[in-house]
Amino acid sequence: AHTGRYSLGGLPVAYTETQPALPSAAASDDAAGHPRLRQHPAHLPPINAEGEVLEFFPLHHAPHAISADRWGGNDTAVYRRRLEALEAAERYEAHQRRLFAGDGGSVRGAHGRRLGNPKDTVAPAASEAPLWEGIGTHYVHIYVGTPPQRVSVIVDTGSHHTAFPCDGCKNCGKHTDPYFDPKKSSTSQTVGCSQCKAAAHCVSRRCEFSQSYTEGSSWKAIQIIDKLWPGGKVAESEPAAEQNHKLAVDFMFGCQFSETGLFRTQKADGIMGLSANSLTLVPQMKSQRKNSNQVFSLCFMKGGGIMTIGGADPAIQSSPMVLVPTTKSSGWFTVHLDYVSVGGTKLDVQDSVYNSGKGVIVDSGTTDTYLPRKMAGQFKKAWKDIVGKEYGNTKMTFSDEQFAKLPVISFAFKDVNGKKIEIDMHPDAYMEKSAKQYVPRVYVNEGQGAVLGANFMQVSTATPPPPPHIHTLV
């Protein structure tokens, strides 16, 4: 195997390219101490340590209507600035070559081979793509209908619904793609009133539903079922659509006929809910045998990120994966937060303060992080003791030297084995730069519970690289 290091969107990671090996070949660490996958034939899709086939999909970074009211007026020039992650593009192409080489474009049956069952019909796939940076959350391209039409949707773990504008939508704004046109899809079906889902109601023999958000934006839609699958390169929609079509599921989504507020002005066409709800994409892929599990992972960084369905890719991780149990089996992804530290100082706050009400939600659809107001005093004091300035969500001026000394905000949890872990938010994740000033994007004004937003999930790309984002405490 050839092992080396490269940079993905500025994040240095290890990679391994393997040649066919005997089945007994064991996983080991490379010379730099980075874990290597068990050797795996290079022509097959990438797998994790358990042999699960990993499926990669592109994410794109853009403002999000749901939480845009919380940004405090970002510089739109930053929104328009797109930084291409060229090495991610190269990696995407390499995965596509490995997946489709030598078989005329068909997907190889790695799942059936792993299970020892030639009749297994789970269709594995793999794809990666270059990503671009905006403000707020990340979005992914999906393909809908027959023939496929490309749509961009925000990946939102805090939402149950997938919806985007359809042809005829009035005042729906201009986004990345033309409005989806169901009339051009031979597989499109309008959901009849006897089959309405997700609290939809019957209007003119169609199922209508809607969603409103706290900052005032909303949408209305009718329920449609059509072929839908994620993934693909941004600039080459047709080849990407052809490559990933074996992941297609019959999926119910909202065909929007009305948008208000920030949904009209956001970059992405629509939104894709990824909550723990049976109607979201990942459970539907499993129920329709396009994937063997309901596992997915999101990697966020400046410059873009990666969505993986079927597991997590060790090649893009700077530290081993750590599993934290959720406190609910459905709905939002809710976790138990033990404590918060600022610059290594543990705040004297009872864990019941964090976990009251709705609990602590991991929400990729909310741009920023919100902590309970009952801890505000402790948080602001710890910040001032380190920084020498009052904490507030207003513009601050720091020299490069001062910025480098800003504290890390750490969140402590227990993993599935009961071990204590901390996840660090570095300054480049929670401080948003606006011209020559910075605005803190951790708020301490939530009524009950907490929301760990997209910036909590973001990997630091500071130079030199900081310590691991996640670490286990002894």
Side-chain angles (χ1 to χ4, degrees), residues 71-126:
W71 301 343
N74 286 311
D75 184 358
T76 56
V78 180
Y79 165 85
R80 297 186 180 93
R81 187 176 66 246
R82 294 183 174 185
L83 303 177
E84 294 189 358
L86 297 178
E87 289 169 336
E90 294 171 359
R91 210 161 166 256
Y92 167 86
E93 293 167 358
H95 279 311
Q96 296 300 317
R97 287 194 298 269
R98 288 171 57 193
L99 181 58
F100 299 103
D103 60 358
S106 63
V107 178
R108 296 182 181 274
H111 270 302
R113 181 166 162 173
R114 178 176 61 84
L115 297 174
N117 180 4
K119 296 182 179 180
D120 188 75
T121 59
V122 176

Side-chain angles (χ1 to χ4, degrees), residues 7-239:
S7 173
L8 178 63
L11 175 67
V13 295
Y15 73 95
T16 302
E17 294 179 356
T18 61
Q19 299 297 324
L22 295 174
S24 60
S28 61
D29 289 352
D30 63 19
H34 300 286
R36 277 203 303 241
L37 293 175
R38 184 179 300 274
Q39 290 188 338
H40 179 62
H43 66 280
L44 293 179
I47 59 173
N48 62 17
E50 286 71 42
E52 295 282 349
V53 171
L54 302 179
E55 302 159 355
F56 299 94
F57 307 104
L59 299 178
H60 310 269
H61 203 182
H64 183 25
I66 289 179
S67 55
D69 64 313
R70 296 175 169 178
W71 301 343
N74 286 311
D75 184 358
T76 56
V78 180
Y79 165 85
R80 297 186 180 93
R81 187 176 66 246
R82 294 183 174 185
L83 303 177
E84 294 189 358
L86 297 178
E87 289 169 336
E90 294 171 359
R91 210 161 166 256
Y92 167 86
E93 293 167 358
H95 279 311
Q96 296 300 317
R97 287 194 298 269
R98 288 171 57 193
L99 181 58
F100 299 103
D103 60 358
S106 63
V107 178
R108 296 182 181 274
H111 270 302
R113 181 166 162 173
R114 178 176 61 84
L115 297 174
N117 180 4
K119 296 182 179 180
D120 188 75
T121 59
V122 176
S127 64
E128 254 179 38
L131 309 179
W132 288 263
E133 182 179 16
I135 297 174
T137 58
H138 294 67
Y139 66 89
V140 64
H141 282 105
I142 58 176
Y143 295 89
V144 187
T146 308
Q149 301 171 50
R150 196 184 75 171
V151 179
S152 61
V153 285
I154 292 161
V155 288
D156 186 359
T157 59
S159 178
H160 308 324
H161 301 312
T162 295
F164 42 84
C166 283
D167 185 58
C169 187
K170 296 181 179 179
N171 300 318
C172 280
K174 185 177 181 180
H175 307 291
T176 60
D177 300 279
Y179 297 167
F180 176 74
D181 189 349
K183 297 188 296 296
K184 294 181 178 179
S185 172
S186 62
T187 49
S188 177
Q189 306 173 51
T190 301
V191 177
C193 289
S194 62
Q195 297 179 309
C196 292
K197 301 181 186 300
H201 56 280
C202 185
V203 177
S204 301
R205 294 183 294 181
R206 305 184 307 181
C207 296
E208 289 191 6
F209 69 134
S210 61
Q211 185 70 62
S212 299
Y213 302 92
T214 56
E215 96 298 331
S217 63
S218 65
W219 52 261
K220 296 179 181 179
I222 63 170
Q223 293 184 339
I224 297 285
I225 295 177
D226 207 340
K227 301 292 183 182
L228 182 150
W229 64 97
K233 296 178 71 173
V234 174
E236 300 178 16
S237 59
E238 290 185 5

Side-chain angles (χ1 to χ4, degrees), residues 41 49 56 78 108-109 116 134 178 233 263 310 344 387 397 433 440 444 469:
F56 299 94
V78 180
R108 296 182 181 274
K233 296 178 71 173
F263 267 100
V387 181
T397 301
K433 190 171 184 180
V444 282
H469 180 57

Side-chain angles (χ1 to χ4, degrees), residues 7 9-12 400 403-404 426 428 460-466:
S7 173
L11 175 67
D400 291 345
F403 186 86
H426 291 270
D428 64 330
S460 175
T461 55
T463 304

Side-chain angles (χ1 to χ4, degrees), residues 89 105 112 143 155 170 239 268 286 298 347 361 381 458 465 471:
Y143 295 89
V155 288
K170 296 181 179 179
K286 181 179 185 298
L298 300 172
L347 303 185
I361 299 169
K381 181 181 183 301
Q458 181 175 298
H471 47 96

Side-chain angles (χ1 to χ4, degrees), residues 18 34 326 368-369 398-399 419-420 430 456:
T18 61
H34 300 286
T326 55
D368 306 318
T369 291
F398 297 103
S399 66
K419 293 183 179 180
K420 186 183 300 181
Y430 71 81
F456 164 81

